[in-house]
Amino acid sequence: MRIGIDRMAFATTNDYLDLVELAKERGVDPNKFTIGIGQDLQAVVPPTQDIVTLGATAAKKLLTPELEKNISTVIVATESGIDNSKASAIYIKHLLGLSDFTRTVEMKAACYSATAAIQFAKGVVALNPQETVLVIAADIARYGLNTPGEVTQGAGAVAMLISRNPHILTLEDTTVAYSKDIMDFWRPLYATEALVDGKYSTNVYIEFFLQTFTRYQQLTGRELADFAALTFHMPFTKMGKKGLEGLLKDRNDEVAQRLRTQLTASQLFSRQVGNLYTGSLYLSLMSLLQNSDLRAGSRIGLFSYGSGAEGEFYTGILEDGYEHYMNNIQEELKHRHQVSVAEYEKLFSSQLGMNDRDIEFDVTNDPLPFVLKGQKDHQRIYEAK
């Protein structure tokens, strides 16, 4: 039985920041951001949006009444949780109007957990072929104003349906997971911004990719020539390049050139949105599929990484007509609204965060279908517009 990704959809905020403008305001050479880090634009989050509203918005784009009938489970993968107990999946299930006979759960493992969610979803479908699992990777990456990590912030959600006979990508059986107790990135319970050892984290990322890919080759006997493309977790697009070049080194034959070309295609959307944490790998996959000419039957490698640390390499085979089962991201990104650095800073500081007070937000100008109206009696209040 073939099991894999049947449909995909992406959602982000309506506002974005031009990182050239941010560089000028911070007194930094813009090339450090656009070339050195590999980012051009960054999603800016208004206080009326969070992982629940973004996740529900992404899921709404791919659901139909007929598809909803088969959803047995909703898994939200995030490291931007809004509650230490209640799962964000239950809010999303309610906003989407899914059946009460639906399993809902939230998963956490830094940026890696969406991949674990997909593997778990594959198991659910293998046991119950008539069922579909909705996996949502939703995150808001925050490092603080005027900090070294500021340029690698971002926000958004990728929603995926995992089912039998998928229309986008059939997942192959061999997968390699690798984990070590490492402090390269973390966010204590008392903090709203992450702590990170950037250079160390980059080195660990490359090590985990090489370890998992090498082990995959040992298990399967496959070579680089067997892959049409490799996709990477991209907290910033230069990270994916570092991973690929760590593997290719000085190799410059036809296979290496093809993989570099496809990497560029996979980077395009991330350059315009920023860091999605759990969703970064899957936005890069969507970018690859919408900005290249890959054919059905092509094998794609996926490297997932989450600090702390866990990595996984696995593969999938493209299905015929895959391009018809995703939303057109580039077209949607054209309609966003650019904010100034001052506006971005105001919005950054207006988040609900760990505030325990009652608060009501003005949702009038938020164009997304789901919004966070505020908080009352320590309970978040969401609305479907």
Side-chain angles (χ1 to χ4, degrees):
M1 178 172 56
R2 294 184 300 106
I3 302 174
I5 302 175
D6 184 61
R7 283 166 171 77
M8 302 182 77
F10 169 70
T12 188
T13 61
N14 189 57
D15 297 326
Y16 74 90
L17 175 67
D18 188 323
L19 294 180
V20 170
E21 297 301 316
L22 180 65
K24 292 176 180 178
E25 182 68 24
R26 300 293 187 248
V28 175
D29 181 352
N31 288 335
K32 182 177 180 180
F33 290 175
T34 59
I35 298 175
I37 301 296
Q39 297 299 126
D40 296 322
L41 308 176
Q42 183 178 105
V44 174
V45 186
T48 50
Q49 293 296 324
D50 64 6
I51 60 166
V52 168
T53 60
L54 291 171
T57 297
K60 181 179 174 66
K61 294 180 181 183
L62 55 72
L63 291 180
T64 65
E66 190 62 31
L67 291 171
E68 290 175 7
K69 294 177 183 178
N70 296 323
I71 294 176
S72 68
T73 304
V74 178
I75 307 176
V76 174
T78 186
E79 57 179 281
S80 309
I82 58 168
D83 191 285
N84 286 328
S85 178
K86 187 171 181 177
S88 54
I90 194 68
Y91 291 105
I92 292 177
K93 171 254 174 185
H94 174 72
L95 287 173
L96 294 174
L98 298 178
S99 168
D100 287 346
F101 293 100
T102 303
R103 182 186 298 111
T104 56
V105 67
E106 180 178 315
M107 296 180 60
K108 180 186 72 178
C111 300
Y112 163 76
S113 60
T115 297
I118 288 174
Q119 299 298 346
F120 297 165
K122 184 179 177 183
V124 170
V125 176
L127 289 172
N128 304 282
Q130 75 282 4
E131 295 183 5
T132 296
V133 179
L134 172 59
V135 172
I136 299 171
D139 267 305
I140 296 172
R142 287 172 61 93
Y143 295 97
L145 301 176
N146 206 9
T147 63
E150 184 176 31
V151 66
T152 61
Q153 298 178 139
V158 176
M160 297 169 276
L161 291 181
I162 309 301
S163 73
R164 65 176 176 175
N165 302 325
H167 286 98
I168 296 178
L169 193 72
T170 293
L171 301 180
E172 296 188 288
D173 290 337
T174 302
T175 179
V176 178
Y178 185 78
S179 61
K180 285 185 176 181
D181 186 359
I182 289 173
M183 296 300 290
D184 60 330
F185 172 107
W186 66 103
R187 181 168 65 85
L189 289 176
Y190 52 79
T192 56
E193 283 80 46
L195 304 174
V196 60
D197 185 339
K199 291 184 178 179
Y200 179 45
S201 188
T202 298
N203 291 335
V204 173
Y205 172 102
I206 296 170
E207 176 200 348
F208 275 44
F209 170 56
L210 296 178
Q211 289 280 4
T212 55
F213 186 78
T214 299
R215 178 64 173 161
Y216 175 86
Q217 287 186 301
Q218 293 170 347
L219 293 173
T220 64
R222 292 182 181 129
E223 302 295 334
L224 277 176
D226 295 315
F227 293 90
L230 297 177
T231 55
F232 293 83
H233 165 58
M234 289 186 193
F236 54 94
T237 64
K238 196 66 172 287
M239 185 77 101
K241 179 177 174 60
K242 290 177 182 290
L244 181 61
E245 294 304 327
L247 178 66
L248 297 179
K249 301 186 185 303
D250 295 327
R251 183 169 171 173
N252 199 33
D253 56 13
E254 182 180 348
V255 171
Q257 291 177 13
R258 182 184 74 241
L259 293 177
R260 290 186 176 106
T261 297
Q262 301 295 20
L263 176 71
T264 298
S266 74
Q267 293 172 320
L268 295 178
F269 294 157
S270 294
R271 292 189 70 98
Q272 300 176 64
V273 176
N275 193 351
L276 300 189
Y277 286 159
T278 53
S280 292
L281 168 60
Y282 299 100
L283 180 60
S284 79
L285 174 61
M286 295 183 74
S287 184
L288 170 70
L289 299 184
Q290 295 188 18
N291 293 290
S292 65
D293 55 357
L294 293 176
R295 298 179 179 178
S298 296
R299 175 176 288 109
I300 297 175
L302 300 96
F303 174 63
S304 180
Y305 177 78
S307 295
E310 179 124 12
E312 184 164 342
F313 183 83
Y314 70 112
T315 59
I317 303 297
L318 272 183
E319 294 295 329
D320 187 37
Y322 65 86
E323 64 273 15
H324 302 301
Y325 296 90
M326 298 173 283
N327 64 312
N328 187 327
I329 296 177
Q330 188 58 61
E331 184 61 31
E332 293 182 7
L333 292 178
K334 292 178 182 178
H335 301 289
R336 292 182 298 170
H337 168 251
Q338 182 177 348
V339 298
S340 66
V341 175
E343 290 172 315
Y344 144 71
E345 292 177 339
K346 181 179 180 181
L347 291 170
F348 186 93
S349 301
S350 299
Q351 302 296 305
L352 183 56
M354 294 186 176
N355 195 331
D356 64 356
R357 295 181 292 106
D358 289 352
I359 188 169
E360 184 175 355
F361 296 128
D362 181 0
V363 300
T364 306
N365 296 320
D366 193 320
L368 269 63
F370 304 103
V371 292
L372 172 62
K373 292 189 65 177
Q375 180 173 270
K376 185 175 178 58
D377 297 329
H378 307 285
Q379 300 176 43
R380 289 191 175 219
I381 302 170
Y382 294 100
E383 179 180 88
K385 296 182 73 176

